[in-house]
Amino acid sequence: DFISITLSPEEVVGAGGYNNSKAWRRRSCWRKWKQLSRLQRSVILFLFAFLAVCGVISYTSMGEPWKSVTNKSLDDQRTEPEIPGLKLANPAVLPAPQKADANLGNYPELSPQKLPKPPYVRRGPSNLQIKPSRRDVRLKTRHDSSRVVEEVVQADKEEKTEKSVISWRGAVIEPDQSTEPPSIKIKEPEKPSSVEAEDQKEPVPINERQMAVIEAFRHAWKGYKDFAWGHDELKPLSKSYSEWFGLGLTLIDALDTMWILGLKEEFEEARKWVANDLVFDKNVDVNLFESTIRILGGLLSTYHLSGDSLFLEKAKDIGNRLMPAFKTPSKIPYSDVNIGRGTAHPPRWTSDSTVAEVTSIQLEFRELSRLTGDEKFQKAVDEVMKHVHTLSGKNDGLVPMFINTNSGQFTHLGVYTLGARADSYYEYLLKQWIQGGKKENELLEDYMRAIEGVKKHLLQRSQPKKLTFVGELAHGHFSAKMDHLVCFLPGTLALGAHNGLTADHMKLAEALIETCYQMYAQVETGLSPEIVHFNLHAQKGHKDVEIKPADRHNLLRPETVESLFYMYRFTGDKKYQDWGWEILQNFNKYTRVPTGGYTSINNVQNPSNPEPRDKMESFFLGETLKYMFLLFSDDIDLINLDKYVFNTEAHPLPIWVPA
Ligand code: DMJ
């Protein structure tokens, strides 16, 4: 059962003291070994053999991790210099990001913001793209047939050399941008990346209609570049420009359109202007709503698409400068802000603000808070929404057009429209709900109630074609008047239905987009006037649509094309593309100026003289042509509507918790 080995002290320590010589030790051990029984010797040998086997086994199992740890640290050392070098942060095709503080004015409230880290690590929701994909390369191939080969070769080179470079036009969501509001933790993706799935798809080649949009954009841009560079709007006939805020409005509004259309050179040139010449430290009054949707919205979306921090820095600057608008007794913002002085005021003739204006700046300010981690932007605009939610004076969810900045109450009660001064209130109820991940129930409640209000009070059918239209209600009287602006509604209704709201909304969207199309088709030039009146009673020789002389202008507005885009995306019905194609051709026929640019016209009823107005609105490039390009595309990932929500100026912003 046991073995005992006894060593006597004399044998260990020789007589006369300590002897530790090697020879003595060898002899002594050998003698001892000889004295052991055979069994004892076998057991000892067995023990040694057993220990040796254990040693070999444990070496082989421990060896691999150690080897990989060693290799990993070597790899880390090899790749480490590439990370801070920002090579991975921005596409090679873009100039290096400017210093964060370049061209920033001295805004007192501008607190130092944490810059997002470069997007070299993939984190956050799976379907926000932060790595190069084959799609990026295929997008390159769409844009300009003459540059196709060169760009593909270049893309291949880039792919080979820098696997993590974010290619031109690949939408970028930086890791630190997260997709949740600031207070909420980022969720790791649970399912396989849809970006990877996307990568497996065949390239969707650019088609002829999209090429025609690119051609139209280039023509418009030529006019702007030649005669209005850096100014707000092109006056294409007089070959000059007009200023509204003096902030290069057309250029900023067009940035993300150029990105989406793949106009690389134009984009880079415009970017240089933003870096070197766009200065907000100016003694100038700007309209809060217009500068939010066009400038702040345009900068934010361009930042998201390009990943270039220049645009975020500019967005922060203008965002801070607009904040004085909220310093009112009611917290309902004033309409105008002096961005240089930091003062705000209502229009000279009233202390009212427009309801659509104060309730259609939320997507942009909320996104600015999420990106900067500074809650003040979101707080200010959320407060407006909460306040409006509780106000009396609504009619089944429909809001009046004005709100007082002192009392915070609606004024001019009794007039309800989905057109000018109220339109985007409804649009932003739904879109904020989508942006925030469909959690903010009050927004949804208000939206659903409002659509019921539309059905109850504003929907009618015209004669003879029985077109469903949205009229207006003035002190209990129905008016069969519909602004072209209302044509945003079919698209918004379709977006709601796509996001799980009742199928009735989609039915209504289908009926309304037909009406909006007829507002073009029934007119001599095939272009819609600003306002139409529908016939409620059939009269011989009369169409559904009547136009008053004061309303027969066309400002190159986007709303119908916008809705056509949503309808095509969600139904796949080609008739919507065909309708948009007709509209583009008529813009080319009646509003294109040969020397560059497009112009608003005064008379859509006179094809032989549509009376050009000599002005190209910034939204023609920001919205109309962008929606045209997207409408003609069959690539649902070209601004995927489950990942992005468009602001009311067609600037896509990320959905915080994408579907
Ligand atoms: C744009 O500035 C926006 O779409 C806004 O919501 C309404 N008006 C113009 C376009 O028509």
Side-chain angles (χ1 to χ4, degrees):
D1 286 338
F2 62 90
I3 303 158
S4 78
I5 302 172
T6 314
L7 299 174
S8 68
E10 311 86 83
E11 283 168 317
V12 176
V13 180
Y18 179 68
N19 180 354
N20 197 27
S21 76
K22 267 189 193 167
W24 182 87
R25 269 185 283 146
R26 245 191 329 259
R27 266 199 318 273
S28 168
C29 282
W30 180 242
R31 200 178 307 132
K32 275 288 157 205
W33 178 252
K34 284 288 199 187
Q35 285 169 355
L36 294 176
S37 71
R38 184 176 292 178
L39 176 67
Q40 283 172 321
R41 285 205 295 255
S42 310
V43 168
I44 289 169
L45 284 173
F46 173 78
L47 275 175
F48 275 118
F50 179 73
L51 286 173
V53 169
C54 287
V56 170
I57 290 170
S58 66
Y59 173 78
T60 46
S61 62
M62 298 282 288
E64 278 311 310
W66 276 111
K67 228 190 278 174
S68 68
V69 165
T70 319
N71 288 349
K72 189 170 174 294
S73 68
L74 285 174
D75 284 346
D76 286 350
Q77 282 167 27
R78 271 198 293 275
T79 54
E80 204 175 33
E82 290 181 21
I83 294 170
L86 287 185
K87 257 201 264 169
L88 309 176
N90 282 303
V93 291
L94 290 177
Q98 300 293 300
K99 277 243 155 83
D101 56 355
N103 290 317
L104 289 188
N106 298 325
Y107 186 80
E109 281 180 37
L110 188 66
S111 53
Q113 308 289 356
K114 201 175 127 248
L115 274 176
K117 283 180 204 145
Y120 46 78
V121 186
R122 183 137 183 259
R123 232 172 73 198
S126 56
N127 42 12
L128 297 177
Q129 185 174 342
I130 59 161
K131 64 169 199 170
S133 65
R134 262 185 268 157
R135 186 173 158 256
D136 293 327
V137 178
R138 108 189 162 224
L139 289 175
K140 280 173 191 282
T141 66
R142 296 165 159 183
H143 305 140
D144 185 338
S145 50
S146 64
R147 290 187 309 193
V148 166
V149 178
E150 187 194 320
E151 289 194 9
V152 170
V153 170
Q154 182 57 25
D156 277 347
K157 263 194 224 157
E158 282 169 16
E159 269 208 357
K160 271 176 205 143
T161 51
E162 288 181 286
K163 276 285 173 203
S164 311
V165 167
I166 293 147
S167 305
W168 165 252
R169 279 193 36 174
V172 177
I173 300 294
E174 298 193 1
D176 272 16
Q177 290 172 12
S178 92
T179 54
E180 294 269 348
S183 51
I184 304 170
K185 270 200 155 182
I186 302 159
K187 280 182 202 142
E188 286 299 330
E190 281 157 19
K191 38 186 182 175
S193 159
S194 63
V195 172
E196 269 144 30
E198 216 173 78
D199 287 351
Q200 306 306 314
K201 286 183 212 153
E202 280 304 302
V204 181
I206 194 164
N207 58 50
E208 275 183 22
R209 287 179 176 182
Q210 286 178 291
M211 291 295 285
V213 179
I214 290 173
E215 193 281 325
F217 185 97
R218 283 206 160 120
H219 182 77
W221 192 247
K222 177 188 166 1
Y224 179 73
K225 200 177 152 184
D226 289 351
F227 311 122
W229 185 251
H231 297 286
D232 283 343
E233 290 134 348
L234 168 68
K235 295 179 78 178
L237 293 176
S238 52
K239 301 193 173 85
S240 62
Y241 57 85
S242 55
E243 279 318 12
W244 188 5
F245 309 143
L247 297 173
L249 213 52
T250 295
L251 189 148
I252 299 176
D253 230 358
L255 282 167
D256 59 2
T257 305
M258 290 186 268
W259 184 274
I260 290 166
L261 269 56
L263 301 175
K264 197 161 88 178
E265 278 164 33
E266 290 86 346
F267 180 84
E268 284 174 14
E269 208 174 343
R271 185 210 180 270
K272 266 186 210 141
W273 184 87
V274 173
N276 301 325
D277 300 299
L278 178 60
V279 178
F280 294 128
D281 192 8
K282 275 186 172 176
N283 180 10
V284 60
D285 275 357
V286 303
N287 174 283
L288 170 70
F289 163 73
E290 298 291 357
S291 51
T292 298
I293 64 169
R294 300 185 199 212
I295 299 175
L296 179 57
L299 291 168
L300 288 174
S301 71
T302 307
Y303 167 63
H304 277 293
L305 295 174
S306 70
D308 187 337
S309 60
L310 166 74
F311 300 107
L312 178 59
E313 289 310 312
K314 292 291 180 187
K316 280 193 267 186
D317 190 14
I318 187 69
N320 273 308
R321 289 171 185 282
L322 292 174
M323 288 306 282
F326 295 90
K327 286 186 196 148
T328 69
S330 65
K331 308 265 178 65
I332 297 297
Y334 289 131
S335 59
D336 297 284
V337 192
N338 187 304
I339 52 173
R341 291 195 183 146
T343 55
H345 58 87
R348 240 171 285 140
W349 59 91
T350 174
S351 55
D352 289 350
S353 285
T354 295
V355 170
E357 292 194 357
V358 301
T359 55
S360 311
I361 49 180
Q362 279 65 17
L363 292 176
E364 300 82 358
F365 277 91
R366 282 155 51 112
E367 178 58 12
L368 188 58
S369 270
R370 195 181 66 84
L371 288 174
T372 60
D374 188 341
E375 287 179 346
K376 73 175 177 224
F377 306 110
Q378 173 152 12
K379 260 188 159 175
V381 294
D382 278 355
E383 202 154 327
V384 176
M385 289 316 292
K386 285 204 180 95
H387 178 78
V388 171
H389 174 74
T390 62
L391 278 184
S392 58
K394 290 180 201 155
N395 187 0
D396 290 317
L398 302 175
V399 289
M401 294 190 289
F402 297 98
I403 186 165
N404 191 271
T405 51
N406 294 321
S407 67
Q409 299 300 309
F410 287 131
T411 64
H412 303 82
L413 301 186
V415 180
Y416 301 98
T417 173
L418 266 274
R421 298 190 183 276
D423 48 0
S424 43
Y425 159 74
Y426 304 101
E427 179 187 349
Y428 267 37
L429 286 175
L430 179 77
K431 288 184 172 177
Q432 284 176 84
W433 177 71
I434 293 171
Q435 178 192 42
K438 305 186 202 173
K439 294 177 202 151
E440 296 151 290
N441 293 335
E442 286 183 353
L443 294 166
L444 180 60
E445 254 171 51
D446 287 351
Y447 176 74
M448 295 301 283
R449 196 165 294 146
I451 300 304
E452 288 312 301
V454 170
K455 287 187 197 163
K456 186 168 166 192
H457 299 288
L458 305 182
L459 277 193
Q460 282 281 1
R461 289 182 135 205
S462 66
Q463 293 294 345
K465 285 202 161 179
K466 301 197 175 4
L467 301 174
T468 302
F469 70 93
V470 181
E472 296 183 356
L473 195 64
H475 309 288
H477 295 288
F478 179 79
S479 157
K481 162 181 180 270
M482 180 167 154
D483 294 353
H484 182 271
L485 287 170
V486 181
C487 288
F488 83 90
L489 186 60
T492 298
L493 287 167
L495 181 65
H498 174 74
N499 278 280
L501 305 186
T502 164
D504 279 5
H505 286 198
M506 194 62 188
K507 283 224 171 77
L508 182 53
E510 280 166 1
L512 288 174
I513 191 61
E514 165 80 38
T515 306
C516 289
Y517 168 63
Q518 290 298 328
M519 286 164 64
Y520 287 70
Q522 292 195 8
V523 181
E524 288 79 350
T525 56
L527 291 174
S528 170
E530 179 73 357
I531 299 169
V532 298
H533 287 77
F534 286 94
N535 281 317
L536 292 173
H537 307 288
Q539 291 175 59
K540 222 180 166 199
H542 282 251
K543 299 176 186 163
D544 300 71
V545 166
E546 299 281 351
I547 305 167
K548 303 209 162 157
D551 305 331
R552 58 191 182 196
H553 49 287
N554 178 300
L555 304 184
L556 313 170
R557 284 197 191 276
E559 290 76 17
T560 296
V561 183
E562 170 185 352
S563 285
L564 287 172
F565 156 64
Y566 285 105
M567 296 307 293
Y568 181 67
R569 265 289 165 98
F570 298 139
T571 66
D573 189 336
K574 297 266 181 211
K575 80 177 176 204
Y576 297 124
Q577 287 186 325
D578 295 343
W579 292 352
W581 181 239
E582 275 177 37
I583 294 171
L584 178 63
Q585 285 172 310
N586 290 325
F587 275 135
N588 275 328
K589 203 163 169 191
Y590 297 108
T591 71
R592 186 172 162 118
V593 179
T595 46
Y598 287 74
T599 178
S600 308
I601 53 174
N602 264 331
N603 191 352
V604 292
Q605 292 181 296
N606 188 353
S608 57
N609 181 15
E611 299 169 30
R613 273 192 162 193
D614 195 18
K615 183 157 174 180
M616 184 173 79
E617 301 280 347
S618 79
F619 49 70
F620 184 61
L621 300 191
E623 297 193 70
T624 312
L625 291 182
K626 183 189 290 152
Y627 282 131
M628 285 271 187
F629 187 80
L630 294 172
L631 163 66
F632 298 142
S633 168
D634 283 314
D635 184 357
I636 62 155
D637 292 313
L638 187 57
I639 312 297
N640 187 315
L641 291 174
D642 294 324
K643 300 170 191 170
Y644 290 95
V645 61
F646 284 93
N647 85 340
T648 192
E649 190 75 6
H651 298 304
L653 298 173
I655 294 171
W656 293 344
V657 185

